[in-house]
């Protein structure tokens, strides 16, 4: 799941940067047929301090003797390489057209960057037969071909954890039997709950995810689907079994486990103080909204500047959600029922609130907006889409100001 930005990451593509004329050649030397000691391991890097490191990172380690004079090979293969400097990267990322690449580096080089950042690296050596281990190398080699090395990244369905798992299962020719007693998030896990588990110390990051991702990430997921997170993949693989035919007992997938890089507590950031969390900020917004409304009622006037700012901000968020629903190709952004509450129509308020003849239209819109916001709350109660807790005071702030404008009151001056 980790996205590399360190300078060393560029070296991960050393073995994949060959000119096009070499497209028919192997990027990984073929193993010596006489060598039956091919070792395939799953490497799991612990979570880091950056938001793109919170679920950890996965890679495959391949160790074998080559058939040519190149000697022994010991490389780490991962599917988390991309370039921030790619033209239009941010737009393509938001639109859901982010392309990632496979990268290969000598294992010591791969481990060095985690030694520097203090992130633990665990190696799980897999109990594959020689033919299965050779199949892994062939599958990785196929991935390294120019026509295959770039892939369309998907946060939960196609990433640095799901790719190694797919390679392993294709090599053994079957689906792994996963442990039945492991539940990472209780009896009813969802993609969103798993994200919240790993993002607990990054509440603003989760706030943004809850804003952008729709109800699709709230469905109950299988144990296998929880393995989109590298650290969960590591935990489930530890007790996974390679099935055999004719009902015979399978053999454990993992033969041995060892720590290659010791982790440091400094690799993780400190939890966000509550006073700086989205909930604290939105409760402050609700308190300010109540204070402004009370002041308006007592003074018999309307603070139009406050309504313009509040609903203008909601409208901007609504434009982002509309982009993600109607333009982005991200699978998880639609349907997003937040659109009932946050949508571009919120921008009508900063426009209409300054014109007295438009007041009737404004009241009609705000009445519909209140009803839609209440409907969103009912959808949350019904379990259709989970809401970030900080959304509740935001919704209440909008309802309070809407009702203040809609309900009849004595003639007042406006500011």
């Amino acid at each position: 799941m980790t996205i590399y930005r360190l300078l060393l990451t560029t070296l991960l593509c050393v073995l994949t940067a060959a000119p096009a004329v070499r497209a028919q050649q192997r990027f990984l030397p073929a193993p010596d047929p006489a060598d039956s000691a091919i070792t395939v391991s799953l490497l799991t890097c612990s979570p880091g301090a950056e938001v793109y490191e919170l679920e950890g990172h996965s890679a495959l380690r391949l160790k074998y003797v080559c058939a040519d004079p190149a000697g022994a090979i010991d490389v780490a293969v991962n599917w988390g390489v991309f370039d921030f400097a790619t033209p239009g990267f941010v737009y393509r990322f938001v639109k859901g057209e982010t392309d990632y690449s496979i990268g290969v580096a000598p294992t010591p080089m791969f481990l060095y960057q985690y030694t520097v950042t203090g992130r633990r690296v665990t190696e799980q050596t897999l109990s594959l037969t020689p033919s299965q281990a050779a199949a892994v190398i062939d599958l990785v080699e196929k991935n390294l071909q120019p026509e295959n090395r770039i892939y369309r990244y998907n946060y939960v369905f196609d990433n640095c954890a799901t790719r190694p798992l797919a390679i392993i299962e294709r090599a053994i020719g079957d689906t792994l039997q996963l442990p039945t007693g492991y539940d990472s998030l209780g009896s009813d896990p969802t993609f969103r709950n798993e994200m919240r588990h790993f993002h607990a110390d990054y509440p603003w990051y989760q706030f943004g995810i809850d804003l952008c991702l729709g109800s699709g990430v709230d469905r109950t997921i299988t144990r296998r689907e929880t393995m989109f997170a590298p650290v969960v993949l590591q935990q489930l693989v530890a007790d996974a079994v390679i099935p055999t035919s004719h009902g015979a007992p399978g053999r454990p997938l993992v033969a041995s486990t060892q720590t290659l890089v010791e982790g440091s507590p400094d690799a993780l950031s400190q939890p966000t103080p509550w006073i700086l969390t989205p909930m604290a900020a939105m409760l402050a917004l609700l308190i300010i909204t109540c204070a402004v409304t009370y002041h308006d009622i007592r003074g018999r006037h309307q603070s139009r500047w406050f309504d313009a700012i509040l609903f203008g901000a909601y409208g901007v968020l609504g434009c982002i959600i509309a982009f993600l629903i109607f333009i982005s190709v991200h699978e998880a952004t639609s349907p997003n029922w937040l659109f009932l509450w946050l949508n571009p129509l919120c921008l009508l308020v900063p426009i209409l609130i300054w014109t007295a003849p438009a007041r009737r239209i404004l009241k009609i819109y705000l009445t519909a907006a209140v009803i839609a916001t209440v409907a969103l709350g009912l959808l949350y109660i019904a379990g259709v889409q989970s809401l970030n807790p900080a959304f509740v005071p935001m919704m209440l702030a909008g309802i309070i100001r809407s009702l203040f404008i809609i309900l009849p009151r004595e003639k007042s001056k406006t500011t």
Side-chain angles (χ1 to χ4, degrees), residues 374-387:
V374 172
L376 174 62
L378 295 176
L379 289 176
Y380 165 68
I381 294 174
V384 175
Q385 180 167 329
S386 177
L387 303 182

Side-chain angles (χ1 to χ4, degrees), residues 228-350:
F228 80 90
V231 292
V232 177
L233 173 65
Q234 175 193 0
Q235 293 168 329
L236 288 175
V237 160
D239 296 313
V241 172
I242 301 175
T244 58
S245 58
H246 310 298
R251 70 178 188 277
L253 173 65
V254 175
S256 63
T257 302
Q258 61 178 326
T259 301
L260 302 181
V261 176
E262 294 291 344
S264 168
D266 297 334
L268 297 175
S269 65
Q270 296 299 315
T272 301
W274 185 87
I275 195 65
L276 300 178
T277 63
M279 176 57 81
M282 299 313 153
L283 284 175
L285 172 65
L286 179 59
I287 292 172
I288 293 172
T289 299
C290 292
V292 170
T293 304
Y294 177 76
H295 179 264
D296 285 352
I297 294 174
R298 290 290 302 271
R300 290 186 297 176
H301 62 83
Q302 179 183 350
S303 299
R304 291 186 293 183
W305 60 270
F306 181 80
D307 295 322
I309 294 174
L310 179 68
F311 288 96
Y314 288 0
V316 171
L317 294 177
C319 289
I320 295 173
I321 293 175
F323 177 88
L324 292 171
I325 292 175
F326 299 109
I327 299 178
S328 172
V329 296
H330 278 295
E331 297 178 14
T333 58
S334 181
N336 187 344
W337 294 102
L338 291 181
F339 198 66
L340 290 170
W341 163 48
L342 298 176
N343 55 69
L345 291 178
C346 294
L347 295 174
L348 288 175
V349 178

Side-chain angles (χ1 to χ4, degrees), residues 13 20 72 102:
C13 295
I102 182 175

